[in-house]
Amino acid sequence: MMSIQERRGHPRRTIQGVHVHNGVVSGKLLNFSPGGLAIETTSSLRVGALYTFRLGRPWMSFRVKGAVRWSRLARTRSGPGGEVTPIFVAGIAIESEDRP
């Protein structure tokens, strides 16, 4: 059986401290490659849907448009008041990007 890593055309790179948002959904970038990225968010993303995200750090950002290829509940997080927040991870296939 072929693993997900073996099916990818480009190796994924991890990066710390990059935030992802589109006005409704926000989260953090987990990893990226020239063809896609994985994000972590508290919102479930619809598989097949197109989203445009702004990825960035305080000194630089750019927009990426892509289709959700997969999305799953990764874990939950408990808050100080006992509330439970779902944490989702999604894979996005990049269709276009707008770099500065």
Side-chain angles (χ1 to χ4, degrees):
M1 177 180 234
M2 186 181 290
S3 73
I4 292 172
Q5 184 66 30
E6 292 167 347
R7 288 186 285 166
R8 291 186 175 140
H10 305 282
R12 292 282 173 121
R13 305 284 184 225
T14 58
I15 190 166
Q16 300 292 319
V18 175
H19 299 281
V20 178
H21 63 89
N22 75 354
V24 176
V25 175
S26 64
K28 68 179 182 177
L29 181 67
L30 297 176
N31 61 53
F32 69 97
S33 75
L37 50 95
I39 65 170
E40 181 180 86
T41 179
T42 57
S43 301
S44 177
L45 301 180
R46 196 175 82 241
V47 174
L50 288 174
Y51 291 88
T52 300
F53 292 102
R54 182 165 297 281
L55 282 65
R57 290 185 167 170
W59 63 89
M60 180 200 73
S61 69
F62 61 96
R63 286 182 295 178
V64 171
K65 181 179 180 181
V68 178
R69 295 294 182 228
W70 56 268
S71 179
R72 71 175 194 277
L73 177 64
R75 64 182 187 285
T76 59
R77 178 176 58 213
S78 295
E83 68 277 2
V84 176
T85 303
I87 306 296
F88 297 91
V89 176
I92 314 291
I94 297 172
E95 295 196 356
S96 65
E97 58 185 280
D98 178 20
R99 294 185 181 214

